[in-house]
Amino acid sequence: MKYAVVTGASSGIGADFARNLSARGYGLILVARREDRLKTLAAELSTPVEIFTADLSRREECERLGEFMDKFEIGVFINNAGFGDCGAFTESDLGKELQMINVNINALHVLSKIALKHLQKNSEKAYLLNVGSSAGLLPAGPYMATYYATKAYVVSLSRAIAQELKETKSNVSVSVLCPGPVKTEFNDVANVSFTLPGIEPKFCADYAIAQLFNKKTVIIPGLFMKLTNMFSHIIPAKFAIKITGMQQKKKLSK
């Protein structure tokens, strides 16, 4: 049986990724810090499930996951773990920002390398999905400066890897998911209140996986965010940044 690895699987989009892939017949390796939530999710899935608790902000934990994956045939890897924060850069908490960089960038980078080594072993098609954000498609995000920068890294890295693998006719397809607001626990962790209506995590996950298997490189769920992305590329960057900053100010809830 082929297995799919989902990081950040304890809630939100990650949990719905797991449900979708289990329904498609994949065994699951669920990765997160909260073991109790992973066990609850595992109990509702119809295929074999392995639970792997880890703090992915630590490189050694990412490498430990890679060693654990040696026991399985990996067909899908989803880098979903990540979080955000909102506030003026001069006032935001440095410790939280560095933790965000460790999870959103460092862990994703390390796990992408580890995942590709496993995925390339397959004789059939295999898939890597990095979860970015619509934030990563914009030039900058005042009042969520670090978060926007981390997601820009995710988008840029994923696009580059995808092109490299296409040129070598690799069996592995790489995609990056760039949703707008999603109704998850992100708001609470990021200390924000969305000003735009969020999409349901199930819709986001189902759409993303369908597009992943269609080898779509940049995946943007929802017509509104597709139009927003098009608009952001038409207007000058300085205006896009100013408009984005105005939107972020509205999100501040504390």
Side-chain angles (χ1 to χ4, degrees), residues 29-72:
I29 300 174
L30 304 178
V31 185
R33 292 179 299 172
R34 296 175 288 190
E35 184 178 19
D36 57 334
R37 290 200 178 190
L38 294 180
K39 287 181 176 179
T40 299
L41 175 61
E44 69 176 82
L45 301 179
S46 58
T47 50
V49 178
E50 298 287 337
I51 290 174
F52 190 92
T53 56
D55 177 1
L56 297 180
S57 66
R58 299 166 55 193
R59 177 175 172 177
E60 59 268 28
E61 290 286 88
C62 296
E63 293 172 344
R64 186 169 66 89
L65 173 58
E67 292 171 0
F68 182 77
M69 288 161 53
D70 288 338
K71 306 172 187 176
F72 305 92

Side-chain angles (χ1 to χ4, degrees), residues 200-214:
E200 294 294 334
K202 184 179 187 305
F203 167 78
C204 185
D206 291 351
Y207 182 85
I209 291 175
Q211 294 299 303
L212 173 70
F213 290 155
N214 284 332

Side-chain angles (χ1 to χ4, degrees), residues 4 12 29 33 35 45 61 67 76 80 95 114 137 139 152 154 156 161 169 172 178 183 191 203 209 211 218 233 243:
I29 300 174
R33 292 179 299 172
E35 184 178 19
L45 301 179
E61 290 286 88
E67 292 171 0
V76 176
N80 176 64
I114 290 172
L137 300 171
V154 174
S156 178
I161 299 170
K169 294 180 170 51
V172 183
C178 298
K183 296 176 182 177
N191 194 34
F203 167 78
I209 291 175
Q211 294 299 303
V218 179
H233 286 84
I243 293 169

Side-chain angles (χ1 to χ4, degrees), residues 27 57 77 95 99-100 104 115 124 126 135 141 143 160 185 190 205 211 214 219:
S57 66
F77 191 101
Q99 183 79 352
M100 192 194 314
N104 293 11
E124 301 177 7
Y143 303 100
E185 295 176 352
Q211 294 299 303
N214 284 332
I219 302 169

Side-chain angles (χ1 to χ4, degrees), residues 29-243:
I29 300 174
L30 304 178
V31 185
R33 292 179 299 172
R34 296 175 288 190
E35 184 178 19
D36 57 334
R37 290 200 178 190
L38 294 180
K39 287 181 176 179
T40 299
L41 175 61
E44 69 176 82
L45 301 179
S46 58
T47 50
V49 178
E50 298 287 337
I51 290 174
F52 190 92
T53 56
D55 177 1
L56 297 180
S57 66
R58 299 166 55 193
R59 177 175 172 177
E60 59 268 28
E61 290 286 88
C62 296
E63 293 172 344
R64 186 169 66 89
L65 173 58
E67 292 171 0
F68 182 77
M69 288 161 53
D70 288 338
K71 306 172 187 176
F72 305 92
E73 183 180 2
I74 308 300
V76 176
F77 191 101
I78 300 182
N79 262 319
N80 176 64
F83 67 94
D85 194 24
C86 193
F89 185 77
T90 55
E91 300 172 2
S92 51
D93 181 80
L94 177 59
K96 188 174 183 180
E97 289 174 329
L98 293 178
Q99 183 79 352
M100 192 194 314
I101 291 168
N102 283 338
V103 175
N104 293 11
I105 293 180
N106 295 349
L108 181 136
H109 188 110
V110 172
L111 289 174
S112 291
K113 278 188 173 288
I114 290 172
L116 286 170
K117 289 180 181 179
H118 284 82
L119 295 169
Q120 288 176 322
K121 294 177 184 177
N122 287 298
S123 57
E124 301 177 7
K125 295 176 183 177
Y127 306 88
L128 170 64
L129 176 64
N130 288 331
V131 177
S133 167
S134 59
L137 300 171
L138 295 168
Y143 303 100
M144 289 188 78
T146 304
Y147 176 73
Y148 271 63
T150 65
K151 292 304 182 180
Y153 184 95
V154 174
V155 172
S156 178
L157 180 73
S158 302
R159 280 174 156 165
I161 299 170
Q163 181 60 32
E164 289 179 12
L165 295 181
K166 285 177 183 177
E167 290 181 4
T168 60
K169 294 180 170 51
S170 172
N171 66 305
V172 183
S173 176
V174 177
S175 301
V176 58
L177 173 62
C178 298
V182 183
K183 296 176 182 177
T184 67
E185 295 176 352
F186 178 92
N187 300 30
D188 298 329
V189 177
N191 194 34
V192 301
S193 177
F194 284 129
T195 56
L196 299 172
I199 60 176
E200 294 294 334
K202 184 179 187 305
F203 167 78
C204 185
D206 291 351
Y207 182 85
I209 291 175
Q211 294 299 303
L212 173 70
F213 290 155
N214 284 332
K215 299 185 178 181
K216 179 74 172 178
T217 301
V218 179
I219 302 169
I220 306 174
L223 178 60
F224 178 80
M225 291 314 303
K226 286 184 174 70
L227 293 174
T228 300
N229 179 55
M230 290 174 59
F231 179 71
S232 70
H233 286 84
I234 294 172
I235 65 173
K238 65 178 181 180
F239 292 121
I241 294 170
K242 185 174 181 178
I243 293 169

